[in-house]
Amino acid sequence: MSAENSVSADTSLLRFENVTVRFDDDETNALDDLSFDVRPGETRILLGAAGSGKTVLLKTAIGLIRPLGGQVRLIGQDIARMPEEKQFDIRRHVGMLFQESALFDSMTIAQNVAYPLLNQRVNRLPRAQMEPAVREALRFVELEHTLEKLPSELSGGMRRRVAIARAVVTKPPLLLYDSPTAGLDPITAHTIMALIIKERDVDNTTALVVTHRYQDGNLVANFRYNPDSGRLDPAGKQGTNTVFMVLREGRLIFEGSQAELEAARDPYIAKFVKRPEEEAAA
Amino acid sequence: MLDLLKAPIQAVQDFYELTGRAMRNVFRKPHYLDDIKLQMDTIGVGSIPIVLLTGFFSGAVMALQMGRSLQDYGQTGRTGTFVSIILVRELGPVLTAVMVAGRNSSGMASELGSMKVTEQIDAMRALGTDPLQKLVTPRMIATALMLPCLTVIDDFVGMLGGWLIAVYVYALPSLQYWSTTWRALVWNDVAQGLLKPFVFSFAISLIGCFYGLRTKGGTQGVGRATTQAVVVADVVIFVVDLFITKIFVSATSS
C-alpha cells in the first residue's frame, strides 16, 4: 500500500452523510438520504439521467446549495451548517468545472485563469509569479495561444478547456467536474476526458466526475495518460482507482466497480452501461 | 395574508444581510483595490458629463423661476441666495443621486444580474472568493466616495447656470449674484449637502447590487432587476432625503 493510500484510510476529501436536499416549492427531495465517501486518489464517476440531481449533488458538495439534513464533509470539515464566509477558504482546495463553463465573460482568458490566484484570500501570488502559473495551466489544456482572447471568441470545447485550466491553476487536491462532455461532439468530448485523465495522472488529484455518458467513465477507468507520447494508453492489469455510482431521482442506486456495474441487473443501470457499439446497433 | 407578506419581509431581511456583510467586508481582507479604482472611474468620472448637464440646466431654470417670483416683491437681487440654498441643501444632492441611480444602480443590477444568470456568481463562490467582497463592497465604497464629489460639482455648475440667467435675463451684476450666493450658505447647509449624498450612495450601490444578485429567470429577469433597482433606489433617495432634512431642520430651529 502506498503512502498515499494509507492516508486514505482515515481521511476523505469529500463525504456525504445522509444528505437530503429539497427546494422550497418541490414536493420531492432533489437529493434523498445520500451517503458516500470520496477517498484520496480515487476517481468517482457519477452516472445519472438529466434531472436526477447530479448538478445539485456537486453544488451541495461545494456548499453552493445548503442541504436540509445530513452532513457534507469537505476536506475534513462539515460545511452543511457553516456560514458561507467561512467556506471560501475551504473551497480553495477544490476545483470545480461548471456544466456551462461559467467563465467570466468580460475578462480575457488569461484573467479568467488568473482569477483564483489573484482573488483568493490566502495564497495570493505576487504578480511576477502569476503569469508563469497562468501559462502553465493554459499549456496543460493546450490553449496557450488564447491568452488575450475573450471567452466569447472561443468555441464551446475550448471554453471548457479554459474552465479546466482555471479549476486546476491553484493545484487543488480535489476536482469536481459537472458534465464535462455535455453538448460536445465525440472528438471534443474525448479531448476533454483525456484532459481529465491527464490531470488525474500528472497531479494525482482526486476527482468526482458527473456525466450521463457511460463511455466517459469507461475511458477514465481503463486508460492512463502517457507523458511520453502525450496520449492515452490502456491501463492494463494495473487498472485505475475508479468507482462508479448511479444516481436516480436523487437516490444513489449503485456504488461499486466497473465490473459490478456491468453485471448489475437493474434495468435503469443497464441502460447506462450500453457499450457505444451496442448503442449504435440499437 | 401572511403568505403575501412573507416575500417582502424576506426581501428586506435579505437586504439587511447583504448590507451587513458588505459593510463588514470593508474591514476584512482581501481588499480589492483595483476593483474599487475601476468602480470609482465608472461611477465617478463616468457620471461627470450627465452631472454637468443636469446641474447646469437645473440651476439655470431655478434662477429663471426664482427671479420671476422675486420680481413681484422687488427682490430679484436675492436670486443668488435662493439658487445657492436650494441647490446645496436639496436639489444638488437629490438630482445627482437620482441621475447616478439611473446610470449606476441600473448598471450594477444588470451587470451582476447577467453574471448571476450565467452562473458566474456561483463560479466566484466555487473558486473560493466572496462575490460580496469582490463585487458589492468595491461598488459601495466607490459610490460613497464619488457621490459627494459629484454633488459638489453639480452644485457649482448649477450656480454657474443660475449666474448666466441672473446676468443675462435679470441684468443683475455678477458681483452681487456671487456675493449673495456665497453669503447665503452656512456650515449647516454644507454639512447637509455633503451628508445627503454620502447616505444616498449606499441606497444607490446596495440596492443596485441587491437586485442584481437576486436576479432569476434569464434575460427577462435581468431587465426586471434593472428596472426595479432604479425605481426602488429613486424612491428610497426621496424618502431618506425627507428624514435627513427633518433632522437638520429640527437641529437648526431649536
Side-chain angles (χ1 to χ4, degrees), chain A residues 59 62-64 84-85 88 91-92 94 96 98-100 102-105 115-116 118-121 124 127 166-167, chain B residues 21 24-25 28-32 34-35 111 114-115 118-131 134:
Chain A
K59 287 192 172 172
I62 201 164
L64 299 184
E84 189 174 24
E85 285 162 49
F88 294 121
R91 291 183 192 154
R92 202 158 59 74
V94 186
M96 176 150 176
F98 280 81
Q99 192 165 350
E100 305 292 338
L103 295 177
F104 303 121
D105 52 14
Y115 180 87
L118 263 176
N119 293 296
Q120 286 177 348
R121 198 169 66 87
R124 287 164 90 182
R127 277 177 199 275
R166 186 177 67 179
Chain B
R21 280 178 64 183
R24 244 181 308 159
N25 283 342
R28 285 163 82 121
K29 279 188 168 183
H31 301 294
Y32 297 120
D34 288 347
D35 292 277
E111 189 181 341
S114 307
M115 290 183 76
T118 52
E119 285 196 314
Q120 292 177 57
I121 302 280
D122 275 351
M124 277 190 174
R125 295 164 66 199
L127 289 165
T129 54
D130 185 353
K134 176 78 182 163

Coordinates of all heavy atoms in Angstrom, one line a residue, chain A residues 59 62-64 84-85 88 91-92 94 96 98-100 102-105 115-116 118-121 124 127 166-167, chain B residues 21 24-25 28-32 34-35 111 114-115 118-131 134:
Chain A
K59 N -23.1 20.9 -6.5 CA -23.3 22.2 -5.8 C -23.4 22.0 -4.3 O -22.9 22.9 -3.6 CB -24.5 22.9 -6.4 CG -24.2 23.4 -7.8 CD -25.2 24.4 -8.3 CE -24.8 25.0 -9.6 NZ -25.9 25.8 -10.2
I62 N -19.9 21.5 -2.7 CA -19.0 22.6 -2.5 C -19.7 23.8 -1.7 O -19.2 24.9 -1.6 CB -18.6 23.1 -3.9 CG1 -17.3 23.9 -3.8 CG2 -19.6 23.8 -4.7 CD1 -16.5 24.1 -5.1
G63 N -20.9 23.5 -1.2 CA -21.6 24.5 -0.4 C -22.4 25.5 -1.1 O -22.9 26.4 -0.4
L64 N -22.6 25.4 -2.4 CA -23.4 26.4 -3.1 C -24.9 26.1 -2.8 O -25.7 27.1 -2.9 CB -23.2 26.3 -4.6 CG -21.8 26.6 -5.0 CD1 -21.7 26.7 -6.6 CD2 -21.3 28.0 -4.5
E84 N -21.4 30.9 5.0 CA -20.6 30.9 3.8 C -19.3 31.5 3.9 O -18.3 31.1 3.3 CB -21.4 31.5 2.6 CG -20.8 31.2 1.3 CD -21.5 31.6 0.1 OE1 -22.3 32.5 0.2 OE2 -21.2 31.1 -1.0
E85 N -19.2 32.6 4.6 CA -17.9 33.3 4.7 C -16.8 32.4 5.1 O -15.6 32.7 4.8 CB -18.0 34.5 5.7 CG -18.8 35.7 5.1 CD -19.4 36.6 6.1 OE1 -18.6 37.1 6.9 OE2 -20.6 36.9 6.0
F88 N -15.3 29.9 2.1 CA -14.4 30.3 1.0 C -13.0 29.7 1.0 O -12.5 29.2 0.1 CB -14.4 31.8 0.8 CG -15.7 32.4 0.5 CD1 -16.3 33.3 1.3 CD2 -16.4 32.0 -0.7 CE1 -17.6 33.8 1.0 CE2 -17.6 32.5 -1.0 CZ -18.2 33.5 -0.1
R91 N -13.1 26.0 0.1 CA -13.3 25.8 -1.4 C -12.1 26.0 -2.2 O -12.0 25.5 -3.3 CB -14.4 26.8 -1.9 CG -15.8 26.4 -1.3 CD -16.8 27.4 -1.9 NE -18.0 27.3 -1.2 CZ -18.9 28.2 -1.1 NH1 -18.7 29.4 -1.7 NH2 -20.0 28.1 -0.4
R92 N -11.1 26.7 -1.6 CA -9.8 26.9 -2.3 C -9.2 25.6 -2.6 O -8.4 25.5 -3.6 CB -9.0 27.7 -1.3 CG -7.9 28.5 -1.6 CD -7.6 29.5 -0.5 NE -7.3 28.9 0.7 CZ -6.2 28.3 1.0 NH1 -5.2 28.2 0.1 NH2 -6.0 27.8 2.2
V94 N -10.6 23.0 -3.7 CA -11.4 22.2 -4.6 C -11.5 23.0 -5.9 O -11.7 24.2 -5.9 CB -12.9 22.1 -4.0 CG1 -13.7 21.2 -5.0 CG2 -12.8 21.6 -2.6
M96 N -13.6 23.3 -9.4 CA -14.9 22.9 -10.0 C -15.0 23.4 -11.4 O -14.8 24.5 -11.8 CB -16.0 23.5 -9.1 CG -17.4 23.1 -9.7 SD -18.6 22.9 -8.4 CE -20.1 22.6 -9.4
F98 N -17.8 23.9 -14.1 CA -19.3 24.0 -14.3 C -19.7 23.5 -15.6 O -19.0 23.5 -16.6 CB -19.7 25.5 -14.2 CG -19.8 26.0 -12.8 CD1 -18.7 26.4 -12.1 CD2 -21.0 26.0 -12.1 CE1 -18.7 26.8 -10.8 CE2 -21.1 26.4 -10.8 CZ -19.9 26.8 -10.1
Q99 N -21.0 23.1 -15.7 CA -21.5 22.5 -16.9 C -21.4 23.4 -18.1 O -21.0 23.1 -19.2 CB -23.0 22.1 -16.7 CG -23.5 21.3 -17.8 CD -24.9 20.6 -17.4 OE1 -25.2 20.7 -16.2 NE2 -25.5 20.0 -18.3
E100 N -21.7 24.7 -17.9 CA -21.7 25.7 -19.0 C -20.4 26.5 -18.9 O -20.3 27.6 -19.3 CB -22.9 26.6 -18.9 CG -24.2 26.0 -19.0 CD -24.5 25.3 -20.3 OE1 -23.9 25.6 -21.3 OE2 -25.3 24.4 -20.3
A102 N -19.0 28.6 -17.2 CA -19.1 29.7 -16.2 C -17.9 30.6 -16.2 O -17.4 31.0 -15.2 CB -19.5 29.3 -14.8
L103 N -17.3 30.8 -17.4 CA -16.1 31.7 -17.4 C -16.6 33.1 -17.2 O -17.8 33.4 -17.5 CB -15.4 31.6 -18.8 CG -14.8 30.3 -19.1 CD1 -14.2 30.3 -20.5 CD2 -13.7 30.0 -18.1
F104 N -15.8 34.0 -16.8 CA -16.2 35.4 -16.6 C -16.1 36.1 -18.0 O -15.0 36.3 -18.5 CB -15.2 36.1 -15.6 CG -15.2 35.5 -14.3 CD1 -14.1 35.0 -13.7 CD2 -16.4 35.3 -13.6 CE1 -14.1 34.3 -12.5 CE2 -16.5 34.7 -12.4 CZ -15.3 34.2 -11.8
D105 N -17.3 36.4 -18.5 CA -17.3 36.8 -19.9 C -16.7 38.2 -20.3 O -16.4 38.4 -21.4 CB -18.7 36.7 -20.5 CG -19.7 37.4 -19.7 OD1 -19.3 38.3 -18.9 OD2 -20.9 37.2 -19.9
Y115 N -7.8 34.4 -12.1 CA -8.7 34.8 -11.1 C -8.6 34.2 -9.7 O -8.4 34.9 -8.8 CB -10.2 34.6 -11.6 CG -11.2 35.1 -10.6 CD1 -11.6 36.4 -10.6 CD2 -11.7 34.2 -9.7 CE1 -12.5 36.8 -9.7 CE2 -12.6 34.6 -8.7 CZ -13.0 35.9 -8.7 OH -13.9 36.4 -7.8
P116 N -8.5 32.9 -9.7 CA -8.3 32.3 -8.3 C -7.0 32.7 -7.6 O -7.0 33.0 -6.4 CB -8.3 30.8 -8.5 CG -8.7 30.6 -9.9 CD -8.6 31.8 -10.7
L118 N -5.4 35.5 -8.1 CA -5.4 37.0 -7.7 C -6.4 37.3 -6.6 O -6.2 38.2 -5.9 CB -5.9 37.7 -9.0 CG -4.9 38.4 -9.9 CD1 -5.6 39.0 -11.0 CD2 -4.1 39.4 -9.1
N119 N -7.5 36.5 -6.5 CA -8.6 36.9 -5.6 C -8.8 36.1 -4.4 O -9.6 36.5 -3.5 CB -9.8 37.0 -6.5 CG -9.8 38.1 -7.5 OD1 -9.7 39.2 -7.2 ND2 -9.7 37.7 -8.8
Q120 N -8.2 34.9 -4.3 CA -8.5 34.2 -3.0 C -7.8 34.9 -1.9 O -6.8 35.5 -2.0 CB -8.0 32.7 -3.2 CG -8.9 31.9 -4.1 CD -8.5 30.5 -4.4 OE1 -7.3 30.2 -4.1 NE2 -9.3 29.8 -5.0
R121 N -8.4 34.7 -0.7 CA -7.9 35.4 0.5 C -6.5 35.1 0.9 O -5.7 35.9 1.2 CB -8.9 35.2 1.7 CG -8.8 36.2 2.8 CD -9.9 36.0 3.7 NE -9.8 34.7 4.4 CZ -9.1 34.5 5.5 NH1 -8.5 35.5 6.1 NH2 -9.1 33.4 6.1
R124 N -2.4 34.5 -2.2 CA -2.5 35.3 -3.4 C -1.0 35.5 -3.9 O -0.1 35.8 -3.1 CB -3.0 36.7 -3.1 CG -4.5 36.6 -2.9 CD -5.0 37.9 -2.2 NE -5.4 38.9 -3.1 CZ -5.8 40.1 -2.7 NH1 -5.8 40.4 -1.5 NH2 -6.1 41.0 -3.6
R127 N 2.5 39.3 -8.4 CA 2.2 39.4 -9.8 C 3.3 38.7 -10.7 O 3.0 38.2 -11.8 CB 2.1 40.8 -10.2 CG 0.6 41.3 -10.0 CD 0.5 42.8 -10.3 NE -0.7 43.3 -9.6 CZ -2.0 43.2 -10.1 NH1 -2.1 42.6 -11.3 NH2 -3.0 43.6 -9.5
R166 N -8.7 27.0 -15.3 CA -9.0 27.8 -14.2 C -9.2 27.0 -12.9 O -8.8 27.4 -11.8 CB -10.3 28.6 -14.5 CG -10.6 29.7 -13.4 CD -11.8 30.5 -13.8 NE -13.0 29.7 -13.8 CZ -14.2 30.2 -14.0 NH1 -14.4 31.4 -14.3 NH2 -15.3 29.4 -14.0
A167 N -9.8 25.8 -13.1 CA -10.0 24.9 -11.9 C -8.7 24.3 -11.4 O -8.6 24.1 -10.2 CB -11.0 23.8 -12.3
Chain B
R21 N -23.1 42.4 5.5 CA -21.9 41.7 5.0 C -21.0 42.6 4.2 O -19.8 42.6 4.3 CB -22.3 40.5 4.2 CG -22.7 39.3 5.1 CD -23.1 38.1 4.3 NE -22.0 37.5 3.5 CZ -22.2 36.5 2.7 NH1 -23.4 35.9 2.6 NH2 -21.2 36.0 2.0
R24 N -19.2 44.9 6.6 CA -18.2 44.2 7.4 C -16.9 43.9 6.5 O -15.8 44.0 7.0 CB -18.7 42.8 7.9 CG -18.8 42.8 9.4 CD -19.3 41.4 9.8 NE -20.5 41.1 9.2 CZ -21.0 39.8 9.0 NH1 -20.3 38.8 9.5 NH2 -22.1 39.6 8.4
N25 N -17.2 43.7 5.2 CA -16.1 43.4 4.3 C -15.1 44.6 4.2 O -14.0 44.4 3.7 CB -16.7 43.0 2.9 CG -17.2 41.6 2.9 OD1 -16.8 40.8 3.8 ND2 -18.0 41.3 1.9
R28 N -12.4 43.7 6.3 CA -11.8 42.4 6.2 C -11.0 42.2 5.0 O -11.2 42.9 4.0 CB -13.0 41.4 6.1 CG -13.7 41.1 7.3 CD -15.0 40.5 7.0 NE -14.8 39.1 6.8 CZ -15.5 38.1 7.5 NH1 -16.3 38.5 8.4 NH2 -15.3 36.9 7.3
K29 N -10.0 41.4 5.1 CA -9.2 41.0 3.9 C -10.0 40.0 3.1 O -10.8 39.3 3.6 CB -7.9 40.4 4.4 CG -6.9 41.5 4.8 CD -5.5 40.8 5.0 CE -4.4 41.8 5.1 NZ -3.1 41.2 5.3
P30 N -9.7 39.9 1.8 CA -8.8 40.7 1.0 C -9.5 42.0 0.5 O -10.7 42.0 0.4 CB -8.6 39.8 -0.2 CG -9.8 39.0 -0.3 CD -10.3 38.8 1.0
H31 N -8.7 43.1 0.3 CA -9.3 44.3 -0.2 C -9.0 44.4 -1.7 O -7.8 44.3 -2.1 CB -8.7 45.5 0.5 CG -9.0 45.5 2.0 ND1 -10.2 45.6 2.5 CD2 -8.1 45.3 3.0 CE1 -10.1 45.5 3.8 NE2 -8.9 45.3 4.2
Y32 N -10.0 44.5 -2.5 CA -9.8 44.5 -3.9 C -9.7 46.0 -4.4 O -10.6 46.6 -4.9 CB -10.9 43.8 -4.6 CG -11.0 42.4 -4.3 CD1 -12.2 41.8 -3.7 CD2 -9.9 41.5 -4.5 CE1 -12.2 40.5 -3.3 CE2 -10.0 40.2 -4.2 CZ -11.2 39.7 -3.6 OH -11.2 38.3 -3.3
D34 N -8.0 47.3 -6.8 CA -8.2 47.5 -8.3 C -9.6 47.7 -8.7 O -10.0 48.5 -9.5 CB -7.6 46.3 -9.1 CG -6.1 46.3 -9.0 OD1 -5.5 47.4 -8.6 OD2 -5.4 45.3 -9.4
D35 N -10.5 46.9 -8.0 CA -11.9 46.9 -8.3 C -12.5 48.3 -7.8 O -13.4 48.8 -8.5 CB -12.7 45.8 -7.7 CG -12.3 44.4 -8.3 OD1 -12.9 44.1 -9.4 OD2 -11.4 43.8 -7.8
E111 N -25.4 44.2 -14.6 CA -24.1 43.5 -14.7 C -24.1 42.3 -13.7 O -23.8 41.2 -14.2 CB -22.9 44.5 -14.3 CG -21.6 43.9 -14.5 CD -20.5 44.8 -14.1 OE1 -20.7 46.0 -14.0 OE2 -19.3 44.3 -13.9
S114 N -26.6 39.7 -15.0 CA -26.2 38.8 -16.0 C -25.2 37.8 -15.5 O -25.2 36.6 -15.9 CB -25.5 39.6 -17.1 OG -26.3 40.6 -17.6
M115 N -24.3 38.2 -14.6 CA -23.4 37.2 -14.0 C -24.1 36.2 -13.2 O -23.7 35.0 -13.2 CB -22.4 38.0 -13.1 CG -21.4 38.9 -13.8 SD -20.3 39.6 -12.7 CE -19.2 38.3 -12.3
T118 N -25.8 33.6 -15.6 CA -24.8 32.7 -16.4 C -23.9 32.0 -15.4 O -22.8 31.5 -15.8 CB -24.0 33.6 -17.4 OG1 -23.4 34.7 -16.6 CG2 -24.8 34.1 -18.5
E119 N -24.3 31.9 -14.2 CA -23.5 31.1 -13.2 C -22.2 31.7 -12.8 O -21.4 31.0 -12.1 CB -23.3 29.6 -13.6 CG -24.6 28.8 -13.5 CD -24.3 27.3 -13.6 OE1 -23.5 26.9 -14.5 OE2 -24.8 26.5 -12.8
Q120 N -21.9 32.9 -13.2 CA -20.6 33.4 -12.9 C -20.5 33.8 -11.4 O -19.4 33.7 -10.9 CB -20.3 34.7 -13.8 CG -20.2 34.4 -15.2 CD -20.0 35.6 -16.1 OE1 -19.0 36.4 -15.8 NE2 -20.8 35.9 -17.0
I121 N -21.6 34.1 -10.8 CA -21.5 34.4 -9.4 C -21.2 33.1 -8.6 O -20.4 33.1 -7.7 CB -22.9 35.0 -8.9 CG1 -23.2 36.3 -9.6 CG2 -22.9 35.2 -7.4 CD1 -22.5 37.5 -9.2
D122 N -21.9 32.0 -9.0 CA -21.6 30.7 -8.4 C -20.2 30.3 -8.7 O -19.6 29.7 -7.8 CB -22.6 29.7 -9.0 CG -23.9 29.6 -8.3 OD1 -24.0 30.3 -7.2 OD2 -24.8 28.9 -8.7
A123 N -19.7 30.6 -9.9 CA -18.3 30.3 -10.2 C -17.4 31.0 -9.2 O -16.4 30.4 -8.7 CB -17.9 30.6 -11.6
M124 N -17.7 32.3 -8.9 CA -16.8 33.1 -8.0 C -16.8 32.4 -6.6 O -15.8 32.3 -6.0 CB -17.4 34.5 -7.8 CG -17.0 35.4 -8.9 SD -17.4 37.1 -8.5 CE -16.6 37.9 -9.8
R125 N -18.0 32.0 -6.2 CA -18.1 31.4 -4.9 C -17.4 30.0 -4.9 O -16.6 29.7 -3.9 CB -19.6 31.1 -4.5 CG -20.4 32.4 -4.3 CD -21.9 32.2 -4.4 NE -22.4 31.4 -3.2 CZ -23.5 30.8 -3.2 NH1 -24.3 30.8 -4.3 NH2 -23.9 30.1 -2.2
A126 N -17.5 29.3 -6.0 CA -16.9 28.0 -6.0 C -15.4 28.1 -6.1 O -14.6 27.3 -5.6 CB -17.4 27.2 -7.2
L127 N -14.9 29.2 -6.6 CA -13.4 29.4 -6.7 C -12.9 30.0 -5.4 O -11.7 30.5 -5.4 CB -13.1 30.4 -7.9 CG -13.3 29.8 -9.3 CD1 -13.3 30.8 -10.3 CD2 -12.2 28.7 -9.6
G128 N -13.7 30.0 -4.4 CA -13.2 30.4 -3.1 C -13.1 31.9 -2.9 O -12.3 32.4 -2.1
T129 N -13.9 32.7 -3.6 CA -13.9 34.1 -3.4 C -15.3 34.6 -3.1 O -16.3 34.0 -3.7 CB -13.4 34.9 -4.7 OG1 -14.1 34.5 -5.8 CG2 -11.9 34.6 -4.9
D130 N -15.4 35.6 -2.3 CA -16.7 36.1 -1.9 C -17.3 37.1 -2.9 O -16.6 38.2 -3.0 CB -16.6 36.7 -0.5 CG -17.9 37.1 0.1 OD1 -18.9 37.0 -0.6 OD2 -17.9 37.5 1.3
P131 N -18.4 36.8 -3.6 CA -18.9 37.8 -4.5 C -19.2 39.1 -3.9 O -19.1 40.2 -4.5 CB -20.1 37.1 -5.1 CG -20.2 35.8 -4.6 CD -19.2 35.6 -3.5
K134 N -15.9 40.9 -3.6 CA -15.4 41.2 -4.9 C -16.2 42.2 -5.7 O -15.7 43.0 -6.4 CB -15.2 39.9 -5.7 CG -14.7 40.0 -7.1 CD -13.2 40.2 -7.2 CE -12.8 40.4 -8.6 NZ -11.5 41.0 -8.7

